[in-house]
Amino acid sequence: MELYGGVEAGGTKFVCAIGTSPEDIRAEVRFPTTEPRETLAKTVEFFRQYMVKNNARLTAIGVGSFGPLDLNPSSPNFGKITTTPKSGWAFTPLVQTLQDGTGVPVFLDTDVNAAALGEGTWGAAKGLKDYMYITIGTGIGGGLIINGMPHHGLVHPEMGHIRLIHDQKADPFVGICPFHGDCFEGLASGPALQARLGKPAESVPAYHPIWELEAEYIALALNDFICVVSPQRIILGGGVMQQTHLFPMIRVKVQQFLNRYIFASQILERIDEYIVPPALGNRAGVMGAIALAKLRVEG
Amino acid sequence: MELYGGVEAGGTKFVCAIGTSPEDIRAEVRFPTTEPRETLAKTVEFFRQYMVKNNARLTAIGVGSFGPLDLNPSSPNFGKITTTPKSGWAFTPLVQTLQDGTGVPVFLDTDVNAAALGEGTWGAAKGLKDYMYITIGTGIGGGLIINGMPHHGLVHPEMGHIRLIHDQKADPFVGICPFHGDCFEGLASGPALQARLGKPAESVPAYHPIWELEAEYIALALNDFICVVSPQRIILGGGVMQQTHLFPMIRVKVQQFLNRYIFASQILERIDEYIVPPALGNRAGVMGAIALAKLRVEG
Ligand SMILES: Nc1ncnc2c1ncn2[C@@H]1O[C@H](COP(=O)(O)OP(=O)(O)O)[C@@H](O)[C@H]1O
Ligand SMILES: Nc1ncnc2c1ncn2[C@@H]1O[C@H](COP(=O)(O)OP(=O)(O)O)[C@@H](O)[C@H]1O
Ligand SMILES: [Zn+2]
Ligand SMILES: [Zn+2]
């Protein structure tokens, strides 16, 4: 059994783990994301110490990172975080630094593609080939798996930035995306809810009217995702989706928006199994990174 | 050199051809789409007569059809047009009828996936792996090629039915989609333009204000497509796009909507080569069907 490393490289925290599957995690560490040199040194140290102490070899390390990332192997910026507004992190060479530091091959993808792969390998999308994982948290992003492989295309999807119908009368909020104002992320991310409420979304009760509005925006976005890529399943994760009462509201609204146009029993009759929460809990990110390493090595 | 058949199965006309490439078309026929029995009999006849007269064998026949289609090989409706509102055509077994009639293996995909493949094989997307073809005509649809293969997922994309920001003051039109009213197709298809104008869109001049509005909707849709699938190129075809003055308007608006968020020179600097017209002209559909047959046989 090959042993893999995984790194969930988040904007607020890093999670590193070593193992073969969610049932077999040999070591794990979590620490806050500070400046890149220090953060990556801690990451390298975790893997090196494990290998030395256990006289073990890692076959590969997967990294699921915040972005935007350059994932084009023929680009001079390949393996780097590129134009992130996160202070100090623009053009950080993730792959090179971790590979040089550990001596282990490193495979990079977006945090959401990694999370999607983890769910496909061990969780809520097991057995499917074409599916997506959407996170609704500090930001909104989507990972897209097509034919079992993480999809990139020109750069990689940035699903949080589609534009939604925004009824200014019902919701006069201008949106918080610095690039687009009222794009999906601008209207429906955790900080967008907090800006309207004046306090974190987790502090308002389930009967607060903001959740109806939130479900509406998420359902509108899913309507578009379904029309554009026709996924076999959609997994909704991230802090905001811990409000689990959103799921039934979103499912009904998606059916209403599609209005029986897409002829598939998964949507018409079994939408509870079509729009689902993640199954891997708070290890989804780092397990996804391990799944990525496994996929790249074992195919 | 393998010889292939192609069928562009459209809602208003069928085009059938035999050949190996756009430079080598051995026979071609066009006829209006009537009821399914008659239309498919004519199609079968064309291929049979060619084979008999020329003592030739076709390796395979590709069919690019209007939809929705059932493309799931394990479904009882596989190879059929399913819930189309087109009179008489619901649940027509395209693949079976053509295969039984000609004795040649038949491969089916959506008209837009076939058109996309044709452009990828010989036209405007040559050399690319991840791209899309959007048609803006009687309806609006999109074909999506990922890793060189037509993408289906749960059913197949229905890109014309995403929801767009619709400023009711600037454009009080309610939209013509029988399912969704003012979805993309409901607002921006040829018949939607005609409904606003009271005459076909081809009869108004390039300086008419409707084109500014049309470019706005198309650009909004492309913004979303780019965010969701990050294509390496987008080809825009169909009757409405014969208004070639739309291209520069759409390109500028797409850049404005994205607002430099997607860091790729293709969008920031070379958008003329990113959002492009088809290269195969009025044979795009049938050549795409031949490309489909070729892909399925030769890989
Ligand atoms: N239980 C909850 N209910 C509603 N919103 C929450 C909840 N937990 C976290 N959030 C919101 O989600 C955002 C954090 O998202 P999260 O996915 O936890 O982290 P990140 O996106 O930074 O990885 C914050 O805006 C927070 O207010
Ligand atoms: N040159 C043109 N300019 C604007 N609209 C056009 C033009 N030609 C056709 N159309 C419109 O496009 C629609 C037909 O689309 P087309 O792509 O030609 O056929 P179909 O979608 O049926 O295969 C009609 O609504 C027609 O009014
Ligand atoms: Zn945005
Ligand atoms: Zn519609």
Side-chain angles (χ1 to χ4, degrees):
Chain A
M1 189 69 103
E2 308 285 333
L3 194 59
Y4 295 101
V7 180
E8 176 187 345
T12 52
K13 70 172 189 305
F14 266 52
V15 185
C16 305
I18 291 166
T20 65
S21 79
E23 280 72 48
D24 175 32
I25 299 294
R26 313 273 175 95
E28 187 174 0
V29 67
R30 294 172 181 245
F31 46 85
T33 307
T34 57
E35 50 92 22
R37 187 187 304 255
E38 183 188 29
T39 313
L40 297 181
K42 275 191 191 168
T43 307
V44 165
E45 212 32 43
F46 167 74
F47 290 114
R48 286 184 54 136
Q49 282 201 1
Y50 181 90
M51 290 191 284
V52 169
K53 270 196 200 150
N54 298 275
N55 194 20
R57 257 181 47 81
L58 299 182
T59 306
I61 296 172
V63 180
S65 177
F66 68 99
L69 304 175
D70 191 329
L71 300 172
N72 174 2
S74 62
S75 153
N77 288 319
F78 174 66
K80 296 184 187 171
I81 295 180
T82 61
T83 57
T84 177
K86 194 173 165 65
S87 171
W89 281 83
F91 296 95
T92 296
L94 278 182
V95 169
Q96 176 108 47
T97 308
L98 297 180
Q99 212 155 250
D100 290 355
T102 61
V104 174
V106 170
F107 297 105
L108 174 69
D109 215 312
T110 59
D111 43 9
V112 277
N113 266 347
L117 275 182
E119 293 292 333
T121 309
W122 299 294
K126 229 162 112 174
L128 301 183
K129 285 171 28 241
D130 302 318
Y131 55 93
M132 56 207 296
Y133 176 96
I134 314 291
T135 181
I136 303 176
T138 304
I140 296 183
L144 180 58
I145 308 298
I146 307 260
N147 207 15
M149 300 294 293
H151 172 66
H152 302 141
L154 180 66
V155 184
H156 52 69
E158 284 287 353
M159 304 199 195
H161 299 274
I162 66 168
R163 303 298 170 96
L164 303 179
I165 298 170
H166 176 193
D167 178 346
Q168 309 272 352
K169 262 196 225 117
D171 177 28
F173 183 60
V174 295
I176 57 150
C177 177
F179 290 87
H180 316 115
D182 64 350
C183 66
F184 183 21
E185 177 170 302
L187 288 172
S189 60
L193 299 178
Q194 177 156 359
R196 289 192 193 78
L197 296 165
K199 56 189 172 186
E202 51 268 49
S203 64
V204 304
Y207 57 77
H208 193 289
I210 191 98
W211 300 120
E212 181 80 23
L213 189 70
E214 179 71 358
E216 184 93 0
Y217 289 132
I218 296 172
L220 264 174
L222 298 197
N223 174 84
D224 292 358
F225 297 157
I226 291 167
C227 289
V228 180
V229 295
S230 192
Q232 293 173 305
R233 186 167 296 155
I234 299 176
I235 301 166
L236 293 180
V240 173
M241 291 311 301
Q242 292 185 28
Q243 301 284 332
T244 52
H245 57 93
L246 284 170
F247 278 94
M249 288 198 271
I250 291 167
R251 291 180 185 126
V252 169
K253 285 173 191 285
V254 166
Q255 286 178 326
Q256 287 168 347
F257 285 130
L258 289 171
N259 195 22
R260 304 188 69 79
Y261 183 71
I262 309 267
F263 191 72
S265 60
Q266 287 88 340
I267 294 174
L268 298 174
E269 293 155 25
R270 290 180 279 125
I271 199 160
D272 293 10
E273 301 160 33
Y274 186 69
I275 298 172
V276 300
L280 298 179
N282 77 339
R283 268 184 180 160
V286 72
M287 287 317 305
I290 289 179
L292 170 67
K294 204 171 144 73
L295 174 74
R296 292 298 190 86
V297 170
E298 303 173 24
Chain B
M1 189 69 103
E2 309 286 335
L3 194 59
Y4 294 101
V7 180
E8 176 186 346
T12 54
K13 69 172 190 304
F14 266 52
V15 185
C16 306
I18 291 166
T20 64
S21 78
E23 280 72 50
D24 175 32
I25 299 294
R26 313 273 175 94
E28 187 174 1
V29 66
R30 295 172 179 244
F31 46 85
T33 307
T34 57
E35 51 92 22
R37 189 186 304 257
E38 184 188 26
T39 313
L40 297 181
K42 275 191 193 167
T43 306
V44 165
E45 213 32 43
F46 167 75
F47 290 114
R48 285 183 55 132
Q49 282 200 4
Y50 180 89
M51 291 191 285
V52 169
K53 270 196 202 151
N54 298 275
N55 194 20
R57 257 181 48 81
L58 299 182
T59 306
I61 296 173
V63 181
S65 177
F66 68 99
L69 305 174
D70 190 330
L71 300 172
N72 174 4
S74 62
S75 155
N77 289 318
F78 174 67
K80 297 184 187 171
I81 295 181
T82 61
T83 56
T84 178
K86 194 171 166 64
S87 172
W89 281 83
F91 295 95
T92 296
L94 278 183
V95 169
Q96 177 108 48
T97 309
L98 297 180
Q99 212 155 248
D100 290 355
T102 61
V104 174
V106 170
F107 297 105
L108 173 68
D109 215 312
T110 59
D111 44 8
V112 277
N113 266 347
L117 275 181
E119 294 291 334
T121 310
W122 299 295
K126 230 162 109 174
L128 301 183
K129 285 170 31 237
D130 302 318
Y131 54 94
M132 57 207 294
Y133 175 95
I134 314 291
T135 180
I136 302 176
T138 305
I140 295 184
L144 179 58
I145 308 298
I146 306 260
N147 207 15
M149 300 295 291
H151 172 67
H152 302 141
L154 180 66
V155 184
H156 51 70
E158 283 288 355
M159 302 197 198
H161 299 274
I162 65 167
R163 303 299 170 95
L164 304 180
I165 297 171
H166 176 192
D167 180 347
Q168 308 273 352
K169 262 196 223 115
D171 177 27
F173 183 61
V174 296
I176 56 151
C177 177
F179 290 88
H180 316 115
D182 63 350
C183 65
F184 182 22
E185 176 169 303
L187 289 172
S189 61
L193 298 177
Q194 177 155 359
R196 287 193 194 78
L197 294 166
K199 56 189 171 186
E202 51 269 48
S203 64
V204 304
Y207 57 78
H208 193 289
I210 192 99
W211 299 120
E212 179 79 23
L213 189 70
E214 180 71 358
E216 183 92 0
Y217 290 132
I218 297 171
L220 263 173
L222 297 197
N223 174 82
D224 292 359
F225 298 157
I226 291 167
C227 289
V228 180
V229 296
S230 193
Q232 292 173 302
R233 187 168 295 157
I234 298 175
I235 302 167
L236 294 179
V240 173
M241 292 311 302
Q242 291 184 29
Q243 301 284 331
T244 51
H245 57 92
L246 284 171
F247 278 95
M249 288 197 272
I250 291 167
R251 292 178 185 127
V252 168
K253 285 173 191 284
V254 166
Q255 287 178 324
Q256 287 168 348
F257 285 131
L258 289 172
N259 194 23
R260 305 188 69 80
Y261 183 71
I262 310 268
F263 191 72
S265 59
Q266 287 88 339
I267 295 174
L268 299 174
E269 292 155 27
R270 291 179 279 127
I271 198 160
D272 292 12
E273 300 160 33
Y274 186 69
I275 298 171
V276 300
L280 298 178
N282 78 339
R283 268 184 180 161
V286 74
M287 286 317 305
I290 289 179
L292 170 67
K294 204 170 143 73
L295 175 74
R296 292 298 191 86
V297 169
E298 302 175 24

Short mmCIF file of all heavy atoms in Angstrom, two decimals, chain A residues 8 15 17 21-28 30 115 118-119 122 280-290:
data_model
loop_
_atom_site.label_atom_id
_atom_site.label_comp_id
_atom_site.label_asym_id
_atom_site.label_seq_id
_atom_site.Cartn_x
_atom_site.Cartn_y
_atom_site.Cartn_z
N GLU A 8 -3.71 20.55 2.82
CA GLU A 8 -4.80 21.49 2.54
C GLU A 8 -4.24 22.86 2.81
O GLU A 8 -4.03 23.25 3.97
CB GLU A 8 -5.99 21.18 3.47
CG GLU A 8 -7.12 22.17 3.32
CD GLU A 8 -8.21 21.96 4.37
OE1 GLU A 8 -8.24 20.89 5.04
OE2 GLU A 8 -9.02 22.88 4.53
N VAL A 15 -3.53 22.31 6.75
CA VAL A 15 -3.67 20.99 7.37
C VAL A 15 -2.78 20.04 6.56
O VAL A 15 -2.88 20.00 5.34
CB VAL A 15 -5.13 20.49 7.33
CG1 VAL A 15 -5.26 19.16 8.08
CG2 VAL A 15 -6.09 21.53 7.88
N ALA A 17 -1.31 15.95 6.35
CA ALA A 17 -1.54 14.60 6.86
C ALA A 17 -0.77 13.58 6.03
O ALA A 17 -0.36 13.85 4.90
CB ALA A 17 -3.03 14.28 6.84
N SER A 21 -5.83 6.45 3.45
CA SER A 21 -7.28 6.61 3.29
C SER A 21 -7.81 7.26 4.57
O SER A 21 -7.08 7.39 5.55
CB SER A 21 -7.93 5.23 3.11
OG SER A 21 -8.05 4.59 4.37
N PRO A 22 -9.09 7.65 4.59
CA PRO A 22 -9.62 8.29 5.81
C PRO A 22 -9.55 7.36 7.03
O PRO A 22 -9.50 7.82 8.16
CB PRO A 22 -11.08 8.59 5.44
CG PRO A 22 -11.13 8.60 3.96
CD PRO A 22 -10.08 7.64 3.50
N GLU A 23 -9.50 6.06 6.81
CA GLU A 23 -9.44 5.11 7.94
C GLU A 23 -8.00 4.87 8.37
O GLU A 23 -7.76 4.12 9.32
CB GLU A 23 -10.07 3.76 7.56
CG GLU A 23 -11.58 3.75 7.62
CD GLU A 23 -12.18 4.54 6.49
OE1 GLU A 23 -11.76 4.33 5.32
OE2 GLU A 23 -13.05 5.41 6.76
N ASP A 24 -7.07 5.42 7.64
CA ASP A 24 -5.67 5.11 7.93
C ASP A 24 -4.83 6.38 7.81
O ASP A 24 -4.06 6.56 6.86
CB ASP A 24 -5.18 4.02 6.95
CG ASP A 24 -3.69 3.73 7.11
OD1 ASP A 24 -3.19 3.85 8.25
OD2 ASP A 24 -3.04 3.40 6.09
N ILE A 25 -5.02 7.28 8.80
CA ILE A 25 -4.22 8.51 8.86
C ILE A 25 -3.11 8.26 9.88
O ILE A 25 -3.37 8.03 11.05
CB ILE A 25 -5.09 9.70 9.33
CG1 ILE A 25 -6.25 9.95 8.35
CG2 ILE A 25 -4.24 10.96 9.48
CD1 ILE A 25 -5.81 10.40 7.00
N ARG A 26 -1.86 8.33 9.42
CA ARG A 26 -0.74 8.01 10.31
C ARG A 26 -0.26 9.22 11.11
O ARG A 26 0.36 9.06 12.16
CB ARG A 26 0.44 7.48 9.48
CG ARG A 26 0.06 6.42 8.45
CD ARG A 26 0.06 5.03 9.01
NE ARG A 26 -0.43 4.08 8.02
CZ ARG A 26 0.37 3.37 7.20
NH1 ARG A 26 1.67 3.48 7.25
NH2 ARG A 26 -0.17 2.52 6.32
N ALA A 27 -0.46 10.42 10.56
CA ALA A 27 0.00 11.63 11.26
C ALA A 27 -0.77 12.81 10.69
O ALA A 27 -1.20 12.79 9.53
CB ALA A 27 1.49 11.84 11.04
N GLU A 28 -0.97 13.83 11.51
CA GLU A 28 -1.72 15.00 11.04
C GLU A 28 -1.27 16.22 11.84
O GLU A 28 -0.94 16.11 13.03
CB GLU A 28 -3.21 14.77 11.26
CG GLU A 28 -4.08 15.86 10.65
CD GLU A 28 -5.58 15.54 10.74
OE1 GLU A 28 -5.93 14.46 11.29
OE2 GLU A 28 -6.38 16.37 10.30
N ARG A 30 -2.12 20.73 12.11
CA ARG A 30 -2.82 21.94 11.65
C ARG A 30 -2.13 23.15 12.22
O ARG A 30 -1.75 23.15 13.39
CB ARG A 30 -4.28 21.94 12.18
CG ARG A 30 -5.12 20.84 11.61
CD ARG A 30 -6.48 20.69 12.24
NE ARG A 30 -7.12 19.58 11.59
CZ ARG A 30 -8.22 19.66 10.84
NH1 ARG A 30 -8.85 20.82 10.70
NH2 ARG A 30 -8.69 18.60 10.22
N ALA A 115 -10.88 18.69 -2.87
CA ALA A 115 -12.02 18.28 -2.03
C ALA A 115 -12.98 17.41 -2.84
O ALA A 115 -13.49 16.40 -2.36
CB ALA A 115 -12.73 19.50 -1.47
N GLY A 118 -11.51 13.95 -3.20
CA GLY A 118 -11.63 13.20 -1.95
C GLY A 118 -13.03 12.61 -1.81
O GLY A 118 -13.22 11.43 -1.49
N GLU A 119 -14.04 13.43 -2.10
CA GLU A 119 -15.43 12.96 -2.01
C GLU A 119 -15.70 11.88 -3.06
O GLU A 119 -16.49 10.98 -2.83
CB GLU A 119 -16.40 14.13 -2.18
CG GLU A 119 -16.36 15.15 -1.03
CD GLU A 119 -16.90 14.60 0.30
OE1 GLU A 119 -17.74 13.69 0.26
OE2 GLU A 119 -16.46 15.08 1.35
N TRP A 122 -13.69 8.59 -1.64
CA TRP A 122 -14.13 7.94 -0.39
C TRP A 122 -15.47 8.45 0.12
O TRP A 122 -15.97 7.95 1.11
CB TRP A 122 -13.10 8.18 0.71
CG TRP A 122 -11.74 7.62 0.42
CD1 TRP A 122 -11.41 6.31 0.30
CD2 TRP A 122 -10.52 8.37 0.25
NE1 TRP A 122 -10.06 6.18 0.06
CE2 TRP A 122 -9.48 7.43 0.03
CE3 TRP A 122 -10.19 9.73 0.26
CZ2 TRP A 122 -8.16 7.81 -0.18
CZ3 TRP A 122 -8.88 10.11 0.06
CH2 TRP A 122 -7.88 9.16 -0.16
N LEU A 280 -16.93 13.72 4.11
CA LEU A 280 -15.64 13.54 4.78
C LEU A 280 -15.40 14.53 5.92
O LEU A 280 -14.31 14.54 6.51
CB LEU A 280 -14.49 13.61 3.77
CG LEU A 280 -14.50 12.53 2.69
CD1 LEU A 280 -13.33 12.72 1.73
CD2 LEU A 280 -14.44 11.13 3.30
N GLY A 281 -16.38 15.37 6.24
CA GLY A 281 -16.29 16.26 7.40
C GLY A 281 -15.08 17.17 7.35
O GLY A 281 -14.67 17.62 6.28
N ASN A 282 -14.48 17.44 8.51
CA ASN A 282 -13.41 18.45 8.55
C ASN A 282 -12.06 17.93 8.06
O ASN A 282 -11.06 18.61 8.10
CB ASN A 282 -13.31 19.09 9.95
CG ASN A 282 -12.61 18.17 10.94
OD1 ASN A 282 -12.54 16.96 10.75
ND2 ASN A 282 -12.09 18.76 12.01
N ARG A 283 -12.04 16.68 7.58
CA ARG A 283 -10.82 16.20 6.93
C ARG A 283 -10.97 16.18 5.41
O ARG A 283 -10.10 15.66 4.70
CB ARG A 283 -10.50 14.79 7.41
CG ARG A 283 -9.56 14.80 8.59
CD ARG A 283 -9.21 13.38 8.95
NE ARG A 283 -8.31 13.34 10.09
CZ ARG A 283 -8.14 12.27 10.85
NH1 ARG A 283 -8.83 11.17 10.59
NH2 ARG A 283 -7.30 12.28 11.86
N ALA A 284 -12.08 16.71 4.90
CA ALA A 284 -12.33 16.66 3.45
C ALA A 284 -11.18 17.27 2.67
O ALA A 284 -10.70 16.70 1.68
CB ALA A 284 -13.63 17.39 3.12
N GLY A 285 -10.70 18.43 3.11
CA GLY A 285 -9.64 19.13 2.37
C GLY A 285 -8.37 18.31 2.28
O GLY A 285 -7.83 18.08 1.19
N VAL A 286 -7.89 17.85 3.42
CA VAL A 286 -6.60 17.17 3.42
C VAL A 286 -6.73 15.76 2.82
O VAL A 286 -5.82 15.28 2.14
CB VAL A 286 -5.98 17.18 4.84
CG1 VAL A 286 -6.72 16.23 5.78
CG2 VAL A 286 -4.50 16.86 4.76
N MET A 287 -7.87 15.11 3.02
CA MET A 287 -8.08 13.81 2.38
C MET A 287 -8.16 13.98 0.86
O MET A 287 -7.69 13.12 0.10
CB MET A 287 -9.35 13.13 2.88
CG MET A 287 -9.27 12.58 4.29
SD MET A 287 -7.74 11.69 4.69
CE MET A 287 -7.67 10.46 3.39
N GLY A 288 -8.74 15.07 0.43
CA GLY A 288 -8.78 15.37 -1.00
C GLY A 288 -7.38 15.52 -1.56
O GLY A 288 -7.08 15.05 -2.67
N ALA A 289 -6.50 16.15 -0.80
CA ALA A 289 -5.11 16.31 -1.24
C ALA A 289 -4.43 14.94 -1.38
O ALA A 289 -3.69 14.68 -2.33
CB ALA A 289 -4.35 17.21 -0.27
N ILE A 290 -4.72 14.06 -0.43
CA ILE A 290 -4.17 12.69 -0.53
C ILE A 290 -4.77 11.95 -1.73
O ILE A 290 -4.06 11.26 -2.47
CB ILE A 290 -4.39 11.92 0.80
CG1 ILE A 290 -3.47 12.52 1.88
CG2 ILE A 290 -4.16 10.42 0.64
CD1 ILE A 290 -3.58 11.90 3.26
#
